[in-house]
Each structure stands twice: as C-alpha cells, then as structure tokens.
C-alpha cells in the first residue's frame, strides 16, 4: 500500500529525513517511536503533502501511484489521513461545516455522488458515538479554545468520518486522559478492518497496549535505526533510547 | 484639444444656476444653509493628498472627469432585475441617480410607526424638523465633500421614528447609479431621526448600472433620541468605475445604541466616513466594517468616535481581504474628552493580503484626555494562514476552495452583524462568488 524508499527531506539548509525506508501493507499497523526532534512529525507531514519541506531524494508510492507528485487534497482523496500532532485553530470554521465539504470533495474525486444531508448526519452520529465526542464541540470554531484532549479526539473523529485507507496518527495519545485514551484507541481499533492501515507515532508504550502494532520502528536523526515487533516498544519503555543512540552513534 | 476639467467651477456654476430657478424659495432657511455650505466648499476646495485625512486617497482622478450633474432617472423594473436582493422584504426604496422612484418602491410600515419621505417632500411637510436637524451634525466646515453635498442637498430620504415606536420592517435604501449612457454624479442626502426608545434598521445599498463612470457623494445624518436603537448598514457593490464618497454622522443622546456595519464588496474608489458623537452618557456603539477590494480598487474607511460624555462604550472591528493590486485604508480615530471618564473604547482592524501587490494602510488614532478610561486598539495585516490552508487541504478540500472557505469565515464576523437576513445571505453569496472567482 505505502512504499517509502530512501526518502530524504530538508527544510532550508537543514536535512531532517536522511533516507527513510518503510513499507506498509494493507491492514498493518506500524508504530514509530523515537526521541524528540528525530523527524517523526516531519515524515508524517511529508506524507500528507506539507509544502514547507523540500524532497531531496527518494520516492513514496501509495497504491502504486507516486505520492510525492500529488497535492495534499489529492493525497486525502487517495486515502491518506493525518491526525496532526498540533491541530490548528481555524476561527469561524466548524468541524461539521468543513467536513461536509471535505467528504464530498473526496467522493467527487472518487467518482461518487455527494452525500445528502440525511446520510451525512447519520454518519456524523455514528462516528460521534465512536469517539464519544459532543455535537456542540463540532459546531464550534475548529479547535478554538478546545482542550488538548478535545483537539485529539476531534482529529480521530475526522478520520472516522473520512474513512481513509491509511491513517497517520501523530502523537494522538498525548494530551488524552486515561479514559479518553482508551476510547480513542478503541475507535481506531474499530476502524481496523484488515484493509485499512495505520502509522502510529507515539512516545508511550501504553497506547500500543490498546492499538497493538504489527511493527515498531525507531526513528533517530532522520533514519529508521531499528525495527521490530511490539516487544521492541516494551524494551524501549524499560531501557529508554540511550542504548540505541549509542549503537547508532558508534556506527557514524 | 480638450480643455482640462474644472469640476469645482462646474459645481459652483450649477449651484448658481439652480438658485435662479428657485423662485422665492431661496430665502428659506434650508436654502440659506445650502448657500453657507457652498461658501464653505468654495473655500475648502477638493482635498489633496497633502491633507492628512486624504493622505492615501487621491481624488485627482475623480475631479478631472466630466460628469453630468443632473442625470436623468429613467429605469424600468426590468433594468433592475439583475440587481435584486432575493427574498428581501420590508420598506424598499429605490433611488435612481439620486431621485426617489415611487413606482419601484414599496413602503409597508404604517406612518404612525415611521415617516418615510423623499427628502424634498419632508422639507415641505416638516420644515421646522428638517431645518433643525439638516446640517446640524455632519461637519461641513472642514469636510469639502460634506459641504458639497449639503449645498446640493435635494434628493434622498427622510426617516423619522416617533417616540417609543419599534419599527419591525427594515428600511432598505437602494441607490442605483445609472451610468449606461454617460458619466453621472449624484449627491443623496439622508436624515434619520429616532425619538426616545425608538428602534429601526436602515440599510443603504449601492449599485451601478452601465459602464460609464459614476460619482456618488452621499451624506447621512442620524440623530438618536434617548434610549433609542439604530441598526445602520451600508452595503456597497459597485463597478470598478464607481467613485463613492460618503459620510454617515450619528449623534447619540443618552443611553442610545447604534450598530453600524459597512460592507464593501466592490467599488472603484471608495471613501466611507463613519462618525459618531456620544452626546450623552451610557451610550453604546458598535462599528463593523468589511472590505474586499480586488484589481485596482481602492477602499478607504475612516471612523471617528467622539466620546464627549462619560460612561460610554464603543467597540470597533474592521476587517479586510485585499486581492491583486488593490489598496485599502483604515483610519480609526477615537477621542476621549476630558469629561468622558469611565469610557470604554475598543478598536481592532485585521487584514489579510491575498496578494503580494496589495497594500493596506492602517492608522489608529487615539486621543485621550480623561484619565479613568479603558481603551485598546490593535491592527494586524498578514498573509493567509498557510497552516490552516494545509489543514483543510489535508482533509481533501482543494486549495482554492479551502482558501475561499477561510476567507468566508474571516468575513463572517462582520457579515453576521447585519440583522436583515436577506441582505446577510445576499452578502454571503456575493462574497463566496468573489473569493471563489479570484
Ligand atoms: N519549519 C522548521 N524549521 C526549522 N526546523 C524545523 C522545522 N520543522 C521541523 N524542524 C526541525 O526538524 C527536526 C525534526 O522535527 P520533528 O517535528 O519532525 O520531530 P519529532 O520527531 O516529531 O519530534 P517530537 O517527538 O518532539 O514531536 C527538529 O529538529 C525540528 O526542530
Ligand atoms: Mg512530532
């Protein structure tokens, strides 16, 4: 489904991604961990199509198509969804208000008829229940005055609404209280249907107790320096990153 | 060879010609007031950019064009079909080239609730009232355009709401400049009087027909009795060849409230002055503005809030989105006079430059002579929020649509202040169309 080969990206003079290789197959969940500033959000942003980064090498294929050629909205329509680490505030635009446009634009791209108001509302209700989010929150200006947890829950709600093929969750767990974490994780698990894939960026093993990954990768200094199964996350939780950093830095 | 236009001389000659036709009426106090205004206009002359108030708005192009000062007003309902505001109901008055068109207009409110008359007719029916209020508020000593309008005041509307009356139906004044066959200059003059506790909504809407140049020089004076409430809206959607200079002067008595909202969708060269005087205590005033110039359009909003008495509140929010090579000006003056203790005055002006070639000039001017006051002002001028744009795109919304969505949301803060649903909807669709097309 997603095939990243030797991906390199920089911002200004600074190279941040230094050759990422990653393949995600349908239905798989990949966790990406790694120290602060190692490039996790950069990778997520590059996949979603943020323009600030210059791609200096490598390729990304999504369902056989060149992802790097596409505008962000095309990527969304092809089935990529990014739950932002820091969701932006948009005064005057409510979630309900833009999601309808978003959903129908995606449907248009896919050659489907727009969703009528009734079906849209039905879908809203269903997905609201999934992440336990309130209608009043969805009618307010997007993220304006939302608590940290509300912002994250809203991201997952949007993902549920848009039903992407690949969901990229960038630290969706940070800022969530214990109950919310469970609810959000269960929401994600409901979306796991054997076809839909996820890349889950997190600092905490706890999330991976709920969303059990098929693979765990450690990103450090712009490279995936270690990959393993869910046991790797447990090991990291226990030992921290120093031993990996030492291994890598020794090689350099 | 063409001789250069001397617009000032042409106007003065026109005034004198009119005067010879007055047949005795020239002695009337009303005409004496006009004559005084003409003298002032003669002395002032048209402002140049050396005048601080006109620094960014050069009227040179305006005054070097030939205009018909007495354009005909022959427009049929059919001609106006493209200018309709869908679902608009209430008192709707049409003015073609300044002249009231009874056959196109509808007045639904009973005269016991509100007197709505063409200005000239009001001057005949209620001479004392008109003489008392006409020219009593708008400053024609320093403002040449107000002086000029006062000198030529003849067309326009007189609206008077008696004590205690709440007018349910809005009054919508539709000023259509008919520039289909020649350049036209029109000078409407409105007078709005609210008795104690009276309430009304008045909207002025400006449109142009045709490809020639139009020049509208309008003055609206409003006097608000104690505890009265005025909703005043000015909505402009004129052509790129339209010049518009307007002053709205609101005089507040004790405990009165005004909500003034000015929305400029299109216009060639626009200058709006909204001036408020707090002539009593406990006044509440809200001033909102929105401007969306594109091409080479120039939109200038000057506001003046004169806190002459204590314990009053004013709140101001102007917003602009500027496209292409357009220019915008916001000049917001707040006076807090020595006696005006416990004044609360807020002002904010926010602009988005949607093009690198657009220019916005903002100038907040706070002059505070009292010590126990709360005042704040802030202006921002920046680019479109790229983060927000990316966010919406990442949800599948194409860039152009995402941009339009953000602009509409930005504008909505002001548009929602217009409490006439049909006009609000009309503006929303006009803005959607405009930001979508650019
Ligand atoms: N716009 C930018 N300008 C300059 N440097 C940037 C910019 N964006 C990211 N970086 C740098 O790139 C590096 C990687 O950042 P990134 O946000 O991808 O890290 P991360 O792995 O997501 O970290 P965290 O765990 O703290 O979220 C950091 O050193 C960061 O400062
Ligand atoms: Mg990050």
């Amino acid at each position: 489904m997603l095939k990243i080969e030797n991906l390199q990206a920089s911002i200004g003079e600074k190279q941040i991604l230094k050759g990422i290789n990653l393949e995600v197959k349908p239905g798989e969940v990949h966790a990406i961990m790694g120290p602060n500033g190692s490039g996790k959000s950069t990778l997520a942003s590059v996949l979603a199509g943020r323009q600030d980064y210059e791609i200096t090498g490598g390729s990304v294929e999504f369902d056989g198509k060149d992802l790097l050629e596409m505008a962000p909205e095309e990527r969304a329509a092809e089935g990529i969804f990014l739950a932002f680490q820091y969701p932006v505030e948009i005064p005057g635009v409510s979630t309900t208000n833009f999601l309808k446009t978003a959903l129908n634009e995606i449907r248009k791209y896919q050659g489907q008829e727009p969703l009528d108001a009734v079906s849209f509302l039905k879908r809203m209700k269903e997905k609201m229940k999934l992440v336990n989010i309130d209608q009043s929150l969805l009618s307010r200006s997007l993220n304006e005055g939302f608590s940290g947890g509300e912002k994250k829950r809203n991201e997952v709600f949007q993902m549920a609404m848009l039903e992407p093929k690949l969901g990229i969750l960038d630290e969706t767990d940070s800022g969530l209280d214990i109950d919310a974490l469970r609810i959000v994780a269960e929401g994600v698990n409901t979306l796991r249907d054997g076809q839909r894939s996820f890349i889950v960026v997190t600092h905490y093993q706890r999330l991976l107790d709920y969303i059990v990954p098929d693979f765990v990768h450690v990103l450090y200094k712009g490279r995936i320096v270690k990959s393993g199964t869910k046991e790797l996350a447990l090991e990291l939780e226990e030992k921290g990153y120093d031993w990996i950093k030492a291994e890598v830095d020794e090689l350099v | 060879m063409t001789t250069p236009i001397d617009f000032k001389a042409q106007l003065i000659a026109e005034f004198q010609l009119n005067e010879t036709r007055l047949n005795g009426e020239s002695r009337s106090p009303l005409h004496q007031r006009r004559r005084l205004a003409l003298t002032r206009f003669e002395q002032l002359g048209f402002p140049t950019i050396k005048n601080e108030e006109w620094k960014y708005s050069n009227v040179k192009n305006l005054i070097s064009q030939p205009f018909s000062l007495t354009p005909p007003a022959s427009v049929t309902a059919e001609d106006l079909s493209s200018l309709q505001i869908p679902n608009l109901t209430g008192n709707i008055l049409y003015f073609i080239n300044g002249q009231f068109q009874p056959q196109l207009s509808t007045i639904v409110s009973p005269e016991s609730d509100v007197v709505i008359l063409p200005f000239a007719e009001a001057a005949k029916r209620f001479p004392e009232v008109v003489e008392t209020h006409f020219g009593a508020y708008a400053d024609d000593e320093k403002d040449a355009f107000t002086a000029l309008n006062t000198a030529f005041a003849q067309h326009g509307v007189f609206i008077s709401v008696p004590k205690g009356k709440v007018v349910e139906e809005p009054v919508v004044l539709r000023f259509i400049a008919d520039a289909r066959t020649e350049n036209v200059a029109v000078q409407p003059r409105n007078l709005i009087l609210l008795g104690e506790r009276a309430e009304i909504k008045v909207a002025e809407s400006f449109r142009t027909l045709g490809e020639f140049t139009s020049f509208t020089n309008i003055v609206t004076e409003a006097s608000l009795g104690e505890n009265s409430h005025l909703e005043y809206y000015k909505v402009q959607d004129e052509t790129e060849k339209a010049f518009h200079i307007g002053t709205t002067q609101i005089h507040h008595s004790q405990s009165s409230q005004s909500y003034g909202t000015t929305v400029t969708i299109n216009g060639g060269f626009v200058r709006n002055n909204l001036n408020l005087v707090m002539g009593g205590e406990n006044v509440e005033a809200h001033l909102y503005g929105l401007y969306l110039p594109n091409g080479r359009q120039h939109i200038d909003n000057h506001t003046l809030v004169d806190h002459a008495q204590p314990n009053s509140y004013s709140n101001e929010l102007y917003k602009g989105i500027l496209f292409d090579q357009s220019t915008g000006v916001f000049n917001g003056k707040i006076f807090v006079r020595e006696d005006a203790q416990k004044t609360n005055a807020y002002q904010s002006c926010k602009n988005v430059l949607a093009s690198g070639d657009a220019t916005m000039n903002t100038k907040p001017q706070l002059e505070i002579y009292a010590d126990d006051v709360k005042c704040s002002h802030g202006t921002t001028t920046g680019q479109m929020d790229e983060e927000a744009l990316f966010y919406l795109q990442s949800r599948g919304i194409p860039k152009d649509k995402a941009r339009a969505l953000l602009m509409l949301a930005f504008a909505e803060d002001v548009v929602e202040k217009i409490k006439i649903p049909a006009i609000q909807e009309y503006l929303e669709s006009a803005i959607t169309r405009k930001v979508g097309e650019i």
Side-chain angles (χ1 to χ4, degrees), chain A residues 41 85 170-171:
Chain A
S41 294
Q85 180 176 5
D170 191 359
E171 294 198 30

Side-chain angles (χ1 to χ4, degrees), chain B residues 4 16 52 69 127 159 188 196 278 297 304 311 324 329 420:
Chain B
Q16 284 157 354
E52 195 58 28
L69 300 178
I159 298 170
E196 267 176 53
M278 310 328 203
Q297 298 180 1
L304 168 61
N311 291 312
D324 307 330
V329 180
I420 301 174

Side-chain angles (χ1 to χ4, degrees), chain B residues 93-349:
Chain B
L93 285 76
Y94 277 89
F95 299 82
I96 308 297
N97 286 340
Q99 297 178 42
F100 178 57
Q101 307 293 305
Q103 79 288 0
L104 298 172
S105 305
T106 346
I107 293 178
V108 294
S109 297
E111 221 184 62
S112 55
D113 281 1
V114 54
V115 177
I116 305 172
L117 288 174
F119 187 83
E121 206 177 317
K124 287 204 190 86
R125 269 181 61 188
F126 307 105
E128 288 92 39
V129 178
V130 173
E131 280 157 24
T132 307
H133 294 282
F134 169 68
Y137 311 105
D139 171 22
D140 64 343
E141 277 180 64
K142 284 195 228 68
D143 187 318
F145 288 98
T146 298
L148 185 61
N149 176 287
T150 305
F152 282 86
Q154 187 183 0
H155 299 302
V157 74
F158 170 87
I159 298 170
S160 174
V161 188
K163 190 170 160 178
K165 295 290 183 187
V166 175
V167 185
E168 297 295 342
E169 297 293 338
V171 179
V172 181
L173 311 171
R174 306 218 58 203
F175 294 99
I176 316 285
D178 180 6
R180 286 177 300 179
T181 53
E182 59 183 332
N183 293 353
V184 298
V186 295
Q187 304 203 63
R189 177 73 174 217
N190 303 324
L191 186 56
I192 303 169
L193 304 175
L194 269 61
E196 267 176 53
R197 287 173 284 109
E199 290 182 25
I200 195 166
K201 298 187 186 90
V202 179
E204 296 175 353
S205 140
F206 299 88
R207 299 293 303 258
T208 342
L209 275 178
E211 297 300 315
F212 282 86
T213 302
S214 66
F215 168 41
T216 300
N217 178 33
I218 184 169
V219 173
T220 297
E221 290 179 290
S223 171
L224 276 57
E226 284 183 21
N227 286 297
S228 65
H229 183 121
L230 174 68
E231 295 276 334
Y232 169 81
Y233 312 129
K234 183 166 180 176
V235 176
Q236 299 163 298
D237 190 359
E238 297 195 90
T239 64
E240 310 243 316
K241 283 197 159 168
F243 290 87
H244 180 112
I245 292 173
T247 292
T248 298
Q249 183 80 36
I250 299 178
H251 185 85
H252 281 273
S253 304
Q254 187 175 318
S255 303
S256 59
Q257 297 183 355
S258 71
Y259 284 75
T261 305
T262 306
V263 178
T264 312
I265 306 284
N266 284 300
F269 178 96
V270 178
R271 166 64 174 262
N272 296 314
N273 301 311
L274 177 58
N275 304 332
L276 273 60
V277 177
M278 310 328 203
E281 295 193 36
N282 297 312
V283 167
E284 186 178 329
H286 301 257
L287 303 83
Y288 301 102
L290 175 72
Y291 36 95
L292 311 164
N294 69 305
R296 300 196 163 273
Q297 298 180 1
H298 175 86
I299 301 175
D300 175 349
N301 280 289
H302 268 58
T303 64
L304 168 61
V305 182
D306 184 353
H307 283 273
Q309 299 286 329
N311 291 312
S312 287
Y313 169 90
S314 67
N315 182 30
E316 189 167 1
L317 173 65
Y318 272 69
K319 296 180 104 175
I321 307 174
L322 295 93
F323 303 91
D324 307 330
Q325 294 101 48
S326 65
T327 51
V329 180
F330 173 76
N331 187 301
K333 213 181 264 183
I334 298 175
F335 279 131
V336 181
R337 309 223 176 234
E338 213 174 323
D339 293 335
Q341 300 296 358
K342 306 274 182 211
T343 288
N344 284 314
Y346 305 101
Q347 182 188 90
S348 161
C349 177

Side-chain angles (χ1 to χ4, degrees), chain A residues 11 14 16 34-43 53 85-86 171 203:
Chain A
I11 190 152
K14 189 173 168 189
I16 299 169
N36 294 130
S38 57
K40 304 181 297 296
S41 294
T42 303
L43 175 62
Y53 304 97
Q85 180 176 5
Y86 304 109
E171 294 198 30
H203 285 295

